[in-house]
Structure formats: C-alpha cells, structure tokens
C-alpha cells in the first residue's frame, strides 16, 4: 500500500452527456491511498476533513465522470451509515448488524418522500439500472423458470418490471417498508403483488418463493441477519437468494466500525447461519457491487 499526495482534480458538469444525469457538483482529493494494483482504497476529501470510501477508483473501461458518480453515491451511503451509528434506542443486536429505531424511521421517511421522483432520479441510470441488469443476468443463468420471484426492498418495482421480460409466467412479489414506494409500484406494475413490510418480517408463507432478489437495499435493513433468515424461510428447497449490495474488506469495516456493510467472508457467514449455501460471490455493474448467491 502507498500514499500519494494529489492536487485538486475537479470533474464538472459538461464533460460528457452522461454527467448531465447528475446535479452539478465538484469533488476533489488531496490524499489517496492505493493498493498494489493502483486501485483507490481510501480518499481524503479536500472540502472537509474526512477519509471516504470511493468504491474502487476508476475501473478498466470506466470514464472519470462515471467513477466520480460512483464515488458520490459511496460518500452518501457512508455518511448515512455514520449517522446511524450515532443514533440512540438501538434494537437488540442480532448477528451484529442492528439499526437504531430512530434511524430506521428516518430512513423509511426519506424513501417515502423520494418516491414521487424516484423513477426520474439520475441514480437510476447511474447505479440502480446497471445493478438490476446484472442481477437479472445472474438469475437467468441459474433459475430458468421460477414460479415466483420476490424482490426485497423493491422500491417502485423497476426490477420486477424487468423480471417480467425474463419470466413472463412467474408470480412477481415485491416488499418494501416505504408506503410511498409501494403505492407507486402498484400503479406502475399492476401485474405484480406488492406488500408494505420489512425484510425481517415478510408477509409470505413458508417455502413459497423460488427466487428472491435484493439489490442495493441490504444496508438499509434493520436487522440484516434476521432478514436473511426470513428470506430463507420463504424460499422453497432448492430456491435461490441473490443479494447485491456494497462490500468492503474487513480492515475497512473495522476502521470505520461499520456494522451494516460487510466483507465477503461476513456475508457468507450470514448466509450460512440462515441455512443458505453460498455458491458464488462476484462483483457486478462496473464492479461497484458484490453479488452473493445462496441456495437453500
């Protein structure tokens, strides 16, 4: 590992049409920590005195502005997680990944407010759509004709609308704790079934789902270990869970004392504890997210 000092290198709106999908902002760094492969591990921001997690730096085939958009999302997520760690009224720790009750309520409120503009957000094209496409591509290679597909943290149902093209006959089910998201999902995806609810208490019968998906929502779950156990409960024998979310090395997780973002090994342990056998873990969507595939 090496540390190099860098001058301010801003990327501004106007360099590419892709960039115009985001609001105008400037990001600069004056200290960067890289690994032996020159991947950026940590980045010290110039505007505030804080080390941040840039999500891997500029990857092969990726433009600088695409990397900065990923960086902006990583900073937003890390900021949210740090706020959650400072909360009070913690739930009982299960699996070492609790969220405070106050933080959970604020999180749900945020997504309720966001629901009206969620489909038009620049983050759809920058992050969520690539994650959805990669997740469905993985799923289609594993489960050919699922009778039922569950999306945990479904938002407005975008992933399920795409899943319909893969499996036209499947029963599509979405669960999300934000009522605003669920109401919009019902209007936009009338051929699917949606329930308001938490991952930790799915309103579904035992062994009723062939394929469960969750993309970029795991770090929002109140009790992550319980959520994975609950998905295992509703999966049929031989069913699959494909979970796509952030993942950082153990040393980064320890440095920032994060209980909601995990290493590959920790995610595999959570799956195994729930009775799911991890068949594969791989980076997807510009290598920004880690997909963990488990079989019941």
């Amino acid at each position: 590992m090496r540390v190099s000092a860098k001058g301010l290198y801003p990327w501004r709106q106007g360099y590419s049409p892709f960039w115009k999908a985001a609001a105008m902002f400037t990001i600069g760094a004056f200290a960067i920590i890289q690994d032996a492969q020159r991947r950026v591990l940590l980045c010290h921001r110039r505007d505030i005195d804080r080390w941040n997690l840039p999500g891997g730096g500029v990857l092969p085939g990726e433009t600088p502005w695409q990397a900065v958009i990923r960086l902006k999302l990583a900073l937003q997520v890390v900021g949210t997680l740090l706020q959650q760690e400072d909360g009070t009224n913690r739930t009982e720790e299960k699996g070492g990944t609790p969220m405070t009750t106050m933080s959970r309520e604020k999180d749900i409120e945020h997504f309720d407010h966001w629901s009206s503009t969620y489909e038009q957000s620049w983050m759809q094209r920058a992050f969520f759509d690539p994650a959805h496409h990669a997740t469905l591509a993985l799923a289609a290679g594993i489960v050919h004709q699922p009778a039922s597909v569950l999306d945990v943290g479904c938002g407005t149902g975008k992933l399920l609308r795409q899943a319909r093209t893969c499996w036209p006959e499947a029963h599509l089910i979405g669960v999300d704790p934000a009522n605003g998201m669920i109401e919009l999902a019902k209007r936009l995806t009338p051929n699917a079934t949606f329930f308001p609810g938490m991952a930790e208490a799915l309103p579904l019968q035992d062994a009723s789902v062939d394929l469960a998906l969750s993309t970029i929502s795991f770090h929002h779950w109140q009790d992550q270990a319980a959520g994975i156990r609950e998905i295992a409960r509703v999966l049929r024998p031989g069913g699959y869970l494909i979970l796509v979310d952030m993942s950082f090395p153990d040393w980064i997780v320890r440095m920032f004392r994060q209980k909601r973002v995990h290493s590959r090994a920790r995610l595999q342990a959570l799956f195994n504890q729930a009775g799911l056998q991890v068949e594969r873990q791989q980076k997807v969507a510009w290598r920004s997210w880690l997909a963990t595939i488990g079989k019941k």
Side-chain angles (χ1 to χ4, degrees):
M1 180 183 299
R2 60 189 172 189
V3 180
S4 59
K6 302 287 184 180
L8 177 62
Y9 292 97
W11 293 272
R12 300 180 186 274
Q13 182 176 356
Y15 277 76
S16 164
F18 185 92
W19 183 255
K20 294 179 181 178
M24 181 177 180
F25 58 89
T26 299
I27 294 179
F30 69 88
I32 296 173
I33 298 179
Q34 299 173 315
D35 64 10
Q37 288 75 44
R38 299 185 64 82
R39 293 175 300 188
V40 177
L41 301 178
L42 290 173
C43 178
H44 196 286
R45 291 179 60 175
R46 188 178 189 277
D47 54 339
I48 59 175
D49 184 20
R50 175 179 292 179
W51 285 93
N52 288 300
L53 308 176
V58 180
L59 300 173
E62 184 179 55
T63 62
W65 46 88
Q66 290 171 336
V68 171
I69 290 177
R70 288 195 299 105
L71 168 59
K72 184 173 186 289
L73 178 63
L75 301 185
Q76 290 174 337
V77 171
V78 170
T80 299
L81 294 174
L82 290 174
Q83 290 176 358
Q84 291 171 356
E85 290 298 315
D86 292 336
T88 56
N89 299 325
R90 292 189 179 275
T91 59
E92 180 183 357
E93 295 203 10
K94 298 177 181 179
T97 56
M99 175 188 281
T100 69
T101 300
M102 181 172 57
S103 295
R104 177 196 61 188
E105 293 173 352
K106 288 183 177 179
D107 204 37
I108 295 173
E109 183 180 2
H110 165 72
F111 280 96
D112 265 328
H113 289 311
W114 193 12
S115 61
S116 61
T117 59
Y118 184 74
E119 291 273 333
Q120 292 75 45
S121 171
W122 66 270
M123 295 175 70
Q124 296 292 341
R125 185 173 65 175
F127 300 108
F128 303 144
D129 289 347
H132 289 170
H133 294 155
T135 301
L136 290 176
L138 284 175
I142 297 171
V143 183
H144 300 295
Q145 294 295 333
S148 56
V149 178
L150 167 67
D151 184 8
V152 181
C154 65
T156 55
K158 286 196 72 176
L159 177 62
L160 290 177
R161 292 199 293 278
Q162 296 177 39
R164 174 64 67 190
T165 64
C166 299
W167 307 292
E169 303 302 321
H171 178 207
L172 304 179
I173 309 164
V175 176
D176 197 282
N179 286 320
M181 293 286 187
I182 288 294
E183 291 305 313
L184 185 58
K186 290 178 178 178
R187 295 198 298 270
L188 296 176
T189 320
N191 54 359
T193 302
F194 293 97
F195 299 101
M198 309 286 289
E200 301 84 354
L202 296 173
L204 300 172
Q205 295 181 351
D206 295 355
S208 59
V209 172
D210 294 305
L211 173 63
L213 308 172
S214 181
T215 57
I216 320 181
S217 75
F218 184 60
H219 57 276
H220 292 287
W221 296 6
Q222 180 182 9
D223 187 329
Q224 294 169 311
I228 295 178
R229 290 196 301 269
E230 186 69 349
I231 292 175
R233 176 186 68 80
V234 304
L235 281 177
R236 295 189 177 103
Y240 281 88
L241 165 61
I242 302 179
L243 188 148
V244 176
D245 205 81
M246 297 179 296
S247 176
F248 300 125
D250 279 324
W251 69 268
I252 290 182
V253 174
R254 290 194 300 269
M255 177 184 294
F256 287 89
R257 299 191 300 274
Q258 290 303 319
K259 298 179 180 179
R260 317 199 55 71
V261 179
H262 306 288
S263 65
R264 289 172 178 252
R266 178 57 183 154
L267 283 167
Q268 184 168 351
L270 289 172
F271 271 56
N272 291 339
Q273 291 166 10
L276 300 176
Q277 180 182 355
V278 174
E279 293 196 343
R280 192 182 354 159
Q281 290 179 296
Q282 69 180 68
K283 289 285 190 176
V284 298
W286 298 338
R287 300 182 60 82
S288 303
W289 312 101
L290 178 69
T292 301
I293 303 171
K295 183 180 181 180
K296 182 174 180 179

